[in-house]
Amino acid sequence: MDAPVLYIVVPCFNEEEALPITADRLRALTDDMVEKGLISPESRIALVDDGSRDNTWKVICTLNGFDKRFEGVKLAHNAGHMNALWAGMATVCEKCDALVTIDADLQDDVNAIYGFLEKFKEGCDVVYGVRKSRETDSTFKRSSAQGFYKVMKKLGVELVYNAADYRLLSRRAVEALMQFGEVNMFLRGMVPLLGFRTAEVYYERGERVAGESKYPFKKMVAFAVEGITSFSNRPIRFVTLLGVVCALLGVAMAVYVVASLIGGQSAAGWPSLMMSIWLLGGMQLIALGLIGEYIGKIYMETKRRPKFILEEYRR
Ligand code: UDP
Ligand code: MG
């Protein structure tokens, strides 16, 4: 096999401080890989400007002007990390044999890409970069992230633990991913749905090279909610369960009420009131859960996800 054409896709939102450093490192990396014959000289670095409000696009244009290795993709408005990644992948997918997505702040060790390529050459279509530890993240970020992975697992969503959006995808894996029709995108959950041969490469996560995190608390919460509601109907089931529990309590209450009536120690109006509160409340919750179950089905249908992903077709 000829050296593969590798595209490195970098989403950038207000990254004017980090970009020059990042670009230098990625240039050095690709130079080295081309020299070693690991990738084709046609390989490129695609910088996606996610509607930045600072000089990010100017920086990208300058880079592109000096060195054809840098390509620029500009989004008209801030579409968010996931959409920026998607836009980058969709734009370059036809021109590459494989692509790597990496954040612009280089918190992820670029040298792991050597490992990615090795696995790709062994025939893997999806290679996850997995963090060995999270020492450089704040305690809050670390524990909230870990809690998130646990909740997702309980909700039955298949995720690769501690793997973020640093990964290699072969061209056919990207093409398969592009068949997903959903607008609410949670890439970390979607990539494992692809199937194909996968591998993991471990690396140490570092500090941001420059600038500040573009994920404030608000975006983190939105991201977590997105992840859960895009993949799981279980919160709806929980409502149904709650309803069943309430209804059962209602029955128990009925028994208790009858017993106190016979015992002659109940106030007027109290028995019927207590029973209706629990029974009705329970039944309402069950009904809500039931309706939710159908809405959940409709929701999943509207995603128009592919029913299968073709791995090979020999004729
Ligand atoms: N990013 C983006 N659009 C956004 C927010 C972030 O493209 O609306 C990019 C950002 O430029 C960076 C990556 O997503 O390349 C991850 O962001 P960041 O490093 O700030 O997140 P953190 O590492 O703090 O979770
Ligand atoms: Mg970061």
Side-chain angles (χ1 to χ4, degrees), residues 61-75:
C61 289
T62 316
L63 284 165
N64 172 260
F66 279 108
D67 187 344
K68 69 173 178 15
R69 183 157 323 153
F70 291 101
E71 293 185 351
V73 178
K74 188 177 193 307
L75 305 190

Side-chain angles (χ1 to χ4, degrees), residues 176 179-181 193-194 300-301 303-310:
Q179 292 177 47
F180 281 71
L193 293 180
L194 292 176
M300 286 301 173
E301 289 292 338
K303 282 184 184 292
R304 305 210 148 271
R305 281 188 184 170
K307 288 187 192 50
F308 60 88
I309 283 157
L310 201 64

Side-chain angles (χ1 to χ4, degrees), residues 10-15 48 50 78-81 84 102-105 107 141 205 208 212-215 219:
V10 192
C12 312
F13 176 56
N14 294 345
E15 298 282 9
V48 183
D50 183 16
N78 181 231
H81 187 191
I102 186 169
D103 289 350
D105 58 3
Q107 281 189 283
K141 190 140 199 164
R205 184 153 156 107
R208 237 178 188 282
E212 268 152 30
S213 173
K214 307 296 182 287
Y215 263 96
K219 271 194 193 170

Side-chain angles (χ1 to χ4, degrees), residues 290-307:
L290 202 64
I291 294 172
E293 198 65 39
Y294 286 101
I295 295 182
K297 291 249 154 47
I298 297 171
Y299 175 54
M300 286 301 173
E301 289 292 338
T302 55
K303 282 184 184 292
R304 305 210 148 271
R305 281 188 184 170
K307 288 187 192 50

Side-chain angles (χ1 to χ4, degrees), residues 65-253:
F66 279 108
D67 187 344
K68 69 173 178 15
R69 183 157 323 153
F70 291 101
E71 293 185 351
V73 178
K74 188 177 193 307
L75 305 190
H77 69 125
N78 181 231
H81 187 191
M82 293 294 118
N83 292 312
L85 279 172
W86 188 273
M89 291 192 287
T91 313
V92 307
C93 148
E94 276 174 11
K95 294 180 280 179
C96 67
D97 297 314
L99 61 79
V100 169
T101 50
I102 186 169
D103 289 350
D105 58 3
L106 292 194
Q107 281 189 283
D108 306 308
D109 180 10
V110 292
N111 291 314
I113 297 178
Y114 290 99
F116 288 4
L117 274 174
E118 221 164 82
K119 294 286 177 196
F120 173 65
K121 284 188 181 157
E122 285 169 16
C124 292
D125 286 272
V126 180
V127 188
Y128 299 101
V130 179
R131 294 167 204 176
K132 268 193 245 165
S133 67
R134 285 176 162 265
E135 269 152 37
T136 50
D137 283 345
S138 68
T139 323
F140 173 71
K141 190 140 199 164
R142 192 163 56 222
S143 47
S144 61
Q146 258 145 17
F148 174 68
Y149 281 106
K150 283 198 190 117
V151 171
M152 288 299 270
K153 194 158 187 191
K154 284 244 162 70
L155 293 175
V157 185
E158 193 191 338
L159 286 184
V160 181
Y161 192 67
N162 266 349
D165 294 296
Y166 183 31
R167 58 174 102 74
L168 176 140
L169 295 173
S170 69
R171 176 171 169 172
R172 69 174 180 181
V174 182
E175 280 169 351
L177 190 64
M178 294 298 142
Q179 292 177 47
F180 281 71
E182 55 214 77
V183 180
N184 298 293
M185 266 194 306
F186 184 66
L187 286 174
R188 268 168 233 196
M190 287 155 69
V191 174
L193 293 180
L194 292 176
F196 292 129
R197 240 180 98 187
T198 62
E200 293 173 9
V201 169
Y202 293 84
Y203 67 95
E204 288 292 348
R205 184 153 156 107
E207 307 272 4
R208 237 178 188 282
V209 289
E212 268 152 30
S213 173
K214 307 296 182 287
Y215 263 96
F217 184 65
K218 219 173 93 195
K219 271 194 193 170
M220 270 169 66
V221 173
F223 182 75
V225 172
E226 176 82 30
I228 292 169
T229 54
S230 294
F231 272 82
S232 181
N233 273 340
R234 288 206 195 167
I236 294 173
R237 299 252 156 84
F238 181 71
V239 175
T240 320
L241 191 73
L242 206 67
V244 171
V245 171
C246 280
L248 285 179
L249 275 174
V251 173
M253 190 56 91

